[in-house]
Structures are given as C-alpha cells and as structure tokens.
C-alpha cells in the first residue's frame, strides 16, 4: 500500500503496478511532453535504445504579430497540436500507446495554462494506460539535453543555462544534485535579446533575428559594456546593457542616422557584449569549481558566436565543452523524455494531482538518492 499523507507532489520509490515493475526490469519506454511556452514538443525515449522519435511544433507564426507570446493563444494551440504529435511520434517509432511504460511532462517553470495542457494530457494518458506519470523541471530538461548526444558529459560539470527566462550557472554533481553558482538579477540573456530586437524593429523571436543582423555589423564601430564583469561573483545583469543599447538606438534615431548599417553595427555590439559576459562568467565558474567540463543549454546556447567563444575559452583552459545539437537547444520533448526516464527508473512519480508550477527553483528538486513520500513540501 502507498503511505498515507499528501499526494499532490512527487513520490519516490513507491510501489508501482506489478506489470510496470516487470517491464522496468527490461527497458523503459517514456513518452516526453513539453508545453511550457510556445512550442509543443513530444518524444519517445527508450533507456536502452535511446531516442526513438521526436516532433516539434513551433507557434512562432501565431505570436509574431504580437511581438511576444500570448499565453491564452499558446494554451489553445497546445490543445490543438499535442495529441496529433503524440500519434505522429508513435507512428514514426513503430510503437503503440500500449508500449509506453511511463510519461514525463513539463511541470514548470512556464506559463500556467500551457503547463496545465501538458500535465492534464499526461495524467489522462497515464490513467488510461496504467503507467506512472512524472512532472519534470523544464530547466533540468535543458541541463540534461547534452546527455542525448553520442559523447555525453561526465559528472561533475558546470552548466550554463541560458534561455528567455533564465541565465544561471549551476554546479552539477549528479541528477538532482545542483548548486546554484550564479543567477540573473534582472533580465535574462534571452529577454535582453528579445527587447533589443524590438528596439531595432526586428520580428519575434529576437535572438535569431539579432544574430542574423549582427552578421552584417562592423566590429570596430561600437563597444557596449560587459555588465558585472568588473567585480567578483557569478551573477548576471543585462538590464544596464539593454538601457545602453536603447540610448544608442535613440541617439541615432534622433539624429536620423539609424540606417541599416547602423542597426547591424548595434546588433553586433550588443551580441558581442552578451557573449563576452557569458564567457567571462563561465571561465570564472570553471576556475572556482575546478571542474573540467562545461555544458551550455537553453535556447540562447544555439547562438553561433556564443558557441565559438566558449569553444575557444575551454580549449585554452584544457577543458571540454558539451552542447546539445541545435534542435535540442530550444524547448523540445526529447529533453523531457530523457530527464523523466532517469527519475521514473529511480521510482519517482507524481501523486494524484497535476503539477503546474510557473515558478520552480531548480534547487528544490530531490536527488536521485533522496527518499521522499510526502510531496513537494519535503523535496
């Protein structure tokens, strides 16, 4: 019997249905569902064969006219696309729903409505199939995405999680064993990219648009500040850089000199400042921890200049850089399926309630060795 007590959070090492336990002795096939924001991702991961299939639907066209994500529209689009994507992935892998041994979904952080769509779908399917279900931390998914590559990093490593909502440096000793080294005190790097793109009249999403425009920029025209690199510590702040960029744009707009070349020069100066700042902080983190491995993950990790800068930095330090392939840098179901599979195999699963947590500190996650039966309050 399951222990008495609250059942609205994670349960670890609980007794599962006997048929599920028998399946887990051989292999585990996990369906991963990602619906935290404006991309619907689904994947099938087998703990012995690896990633079998994945599919992603992006809502960029839905939100482009608004210059950013509209939460209600995002939720509605997840409802429309999620089940067809599940069927598509199963068909691609040559599997049936009855083959699924567990379901993992993004429980947070993210947009509450979007999270609820994924969580409700996962729990409904889990109940129908009599398989365990687990809510996965979105940033843990990003952090573990490089594990899907042919040469995954070994623990311990330093991870730079850099996306629209997060810019963090984390010391990773194992799954669930995370020490926060540095965090963004205001705008995350991805937010700064999006806001700068608006200043330059670029479409949503801002990061790729800034990077494309910066390719035409001249490197010697502007030099923007590298925020918080002139003081100790590993925290990030990009609001000052954003203001500096706005002042530059405004000055040239007022002088009627904000032509296409000037916009490209500003884009390059901004991108270079962000890249240099992230690289400097990563170098400091490697020095302070003594770790030989650096992982970068999250949407901004797809940036070409950032990858090149960190490659050069780690090579100079005789360290190794590990990256997810570009398609797994942005939100995707594969990273959720992988992270969920590791925890489901350890016996962790949801209680009766759907988990949907718009804010969810990474440090709150239990380690793989933790024994917890009373829900989130004790994780």
């Amino acid at each position: 019997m399951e222990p008495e007590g609250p059942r609205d959070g994670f349960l670890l090492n609980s007794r599962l249905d006997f048929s599920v336990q028998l399946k887990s002795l051989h292999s585990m096939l996990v369906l991963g569902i990602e619906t935290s924001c404006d991309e619907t991702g689904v994947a099938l991961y087998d703990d012995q064969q690896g990633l079998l299939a994945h599919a992603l639907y992006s809502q960029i066209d839905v939100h482009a006219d608004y210059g950013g994500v509209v939460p209600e529209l995002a939720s509605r689009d997840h409802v429309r696309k999620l089940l067809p994507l599940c069927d598509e992935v199963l068909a691609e892998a040559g599997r049936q729903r009855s083959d699924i041994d567990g379901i993992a979904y993004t429980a947070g952080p993210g947009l509450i409505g979007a999270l609820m769509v994924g969580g409700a779908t996962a729990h409904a399917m889990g109940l129908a199939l009599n398989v365990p279900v687990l809510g996965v931390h979105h940033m843990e998914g990003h952090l573990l995405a490089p594990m899907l590559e042919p040469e995954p990093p070994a623990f311990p490593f330093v991870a730079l999680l850099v996306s629209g909502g997060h810019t963090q440096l984390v010391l990773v000793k194992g799954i669930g064993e995370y020490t926060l080294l540095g965090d963004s005190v205001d705008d995350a790097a991805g937010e700064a990219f999006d806001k700068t793109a608006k200043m330059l009249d670029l479409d949503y999403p801002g990061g790729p648009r800034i990077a494309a425009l910066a390719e035409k920029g001249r490197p010697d025209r502007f030099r923007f500040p590298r925020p918080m690199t002139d003081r100790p510590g590993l925290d990030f702040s990009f609001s000052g850089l954003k203001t500096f960029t706005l002042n530059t744009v405004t000055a040239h707009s007022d002088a009627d000199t904000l032509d296409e070349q000037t916009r490209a020069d500003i884009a390059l100066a901004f991108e270079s400042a962000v890249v240099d700042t992230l690289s400097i902080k990563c170098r400091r983190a490697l020095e302070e921890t003594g770790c030989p491995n650096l992982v970068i993950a999250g949407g901004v990790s797809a940036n070409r200049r950032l990858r090149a800068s960190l490659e050069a930095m780690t090579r100079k330090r005789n360290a190794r850089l590990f990256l997810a392939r570009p398609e797994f840098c942005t939100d995707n179901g594969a990273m959720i399926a992988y992270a969920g599979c590791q925890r489901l195999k350890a016996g962790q699963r949801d209680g009766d309630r759907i988990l949907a947590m718009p804010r969810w500190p990474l440090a709150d996650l239990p380690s793989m060795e933790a024994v917890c039966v009373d829900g989130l309050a004790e994780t």
Side-chain angles (χ1 to χ4, degrees), residues 74-243:
S75 301
R76 292 179 182 181
D77 231 31
H78 288 311
V79 171
R80 185 171 65 89
K81 296 297 295 187
L82 183 51
L83 285 177
L85 281 179
C86 289
D87 292 337
E88 177 184 328
V89 166
L90 285 165
E92 182 182 341
R95 302 296 181 91
Q96 305 295 321
R97 290 189 183 182
S98 57
D99 295 325
I100 296 172
D101 299 314
I103 302 172
Y105 66 96
T106 301
L111 302 175
I112 184 65
L115 295 172
M116 286 297 296
V117 173
T121 302
H123 272 264
M125 292 180 67
L127 186 63
L129 299 173
N130 192 29
V131 298
V133 178
L134 178 66
V136 172
H137 195 291
H138 180 74
M139 296 313 293
E140 181 172 66
H142 276 304
L143 188 151
L144 297 176
M147 296 295 187
L148 294 165
E149 301 304 314
E151 293 187 38
F155 300 114
F157 57 79
V158 169
L160 172 66
L161 300 177
V162 57
S163 65
H166 298 82
T167 304
Q168 298 176 325
L169 278 166
V170 182
L171 174 61
V172 181
K173 296 181 180 178
I175 296 177
E177 299 179 59
Y178 309 132
T179 301
L180 184 64
L181 302 174
D183 203 351
S184 51
V185 299
D186 41 55
D187 288 356
E191 290 176 295
F193 267 104
D194 287 339
K195 291 175 180 178
T196 298
K198 286 185 178 181
M199 299 175 200
L200 295 173
D201 293 325
L202 299 175
D203 292 334
Y204 172 83
R209 313 295 187 193
I210 289 285
L213 183 59
E215 292 294 326
K216 306 173 186 177
R218 297 172 294 188
D220 55 349
R221 184 171 181 188
F222 298 111
R223 178 174 174 81
F224 287 5
R226 276 61 174 161
M228 296 184 71
T229 58
D230 58 348
R231 68 191 76 174
L234 296 173
D235 286 338
F236 302 91
S237 171
F238 292 104
S239 64
L241 175 60
K242 179 189 65 179
T243 301

Side-chain angles (χ1 to χ4, degrees), residues 156-158 171-172 285-294 317 319-320:
F157 57 79
V158 169
L171 174 61
V172 181
L286 292 176
E287 291 172 351
E288 290 184 15
T289 61
C291 281
N293 299 323
L294 174 67
R317 286 187 48 79
R320 291 194 64 186

